[in-house]
Amino acid sequence: MNQAITSQDTSRNGLLAIGGGGVLSGVLTPLLPQLIDRVSGGPGDLRIALAAIPFAVLVFIVARRTSVNPWWAALLAAIVTMVAFVCAVNAAIFIDGQANGADKMMRNILAGLAGGFIGSAIMALGIGRLPAGPRDVVAWLQMLITGTLAGALLALDNALGLDQTSVLYPVWQAGVAVRLAMALQRRRRG
């Protein structure tokens, strides 16, 4: 009984550490474009992908520590994360353009929801296909819902006029990282 309690506390502490890593990567993410802009050349999507490096590193660590995946699968999870980030940003831009006649706050909510959904869906689809990734849709549903709902924080960032800081990235990245760890741990135990 004591071992089960200790194991559960370790799991909670591990998830708390992952959430903290998500907050840290989310603080670094909006700061990177300024640094990346100083380097000339490279297509726009590559520059967007480079901004995702802090979160991709966290996903690499999570995939390595919470699953039985080999190191190369954790590296693929990090690459999938960077691709998901690019797709999420492009989806948010597309939806913002499609909702051109709507109120700015509504456009930001819709764009954030779309970007959050696309980003977490691509991560779930890509990481779920790794050798030790859970194939059960329910294992990924919590991550998908968390990522989608947290995407709506884009409207809060815009309302507060946040440019070099963000509410969206720390909350989204912490929530998705924790849900990713929970999905991967579910497979490990199963």
Side-chain angles (χ1 to χ4, degrees):
M1 178 73 170
N2 190 22
Q3 185 179 16
I5 293 171
T6 304
S7 175
Q8 187 176 14
D9 288 342
T10 304
S11 177
R12 259 190 230 139
N13 288 339
L15 291 176
L16 187 59
I18 290 168
V23 169
L24 177 62
S25 71
V27 168
L28 294 175
T29 298
L31 300 175
L32 279 181
Q34 296 171 350
L35 181 64
I36 294 167
D37 286 344
R38 293 178 187 222
V39 179
S40 62
D45 285 345
L46 175 64
R47 293 160 138 352
I48 294 170
L50 292 175
I53 287 176
F55 188 53
V57 168
L58 177 62
V59 168
F60 175 85
I61 293 167
V62 168
R64 201 62 193 121
R65 297 198 64 175
T66 61
S67 73
V68 292
N69 277 312
W71 69 268
W72 59 265
L75 182 62
L76 280 175
I79 292 169
V80 164
T81 300
M82 294 171 74
V83 169
F85 188 84
V86 171
C87 292
V89 168
N90 286 327
I93 291 168
F94 176 77
I95 294 299
D96 184 61
Q98 294 301 309
N100 196 11
D103 177 56
K104 182 136 179 89
M105 181 68 78
M106 183 55 69
R107 282 192 353 240
N108 285 325
I109 291 171
L110 293 173
L113 288 170
F117 174 78
I118 294 296
S120 54
I122 290 173
M123 285 182 66
L125 289 171
I127 296 170
R129 300 305 308 159
L130 295 176
R135 303 295 191 264
D136 183 16
V137 173
V138 175
W140 297 105
L141 193 57
Q142 291 178 333
M143 187 175 98
L144 186 65
I145 292 169
T146 300
T148 301
L149 294 177
L153 291 172
L154 177 64
L156 180 61
D157 282 354
N158 193 300
L160 296 175
L162 299 177
D163 188 27
Q164 294 179 354
T165 58
S166 174
V167 174
L168 167 67
Y169 290 126
V171 173
W172 193 93
Q173 291 179 13
V176 169
V178 166
R179 294 301 190 177
L180 172 64
M182 292 170 69
L184 292 173
Q185 285 176 346
R186 184 175 177 177
R187 170 66 185 243
R188 188 179 212 180
R189 284 180 281 185

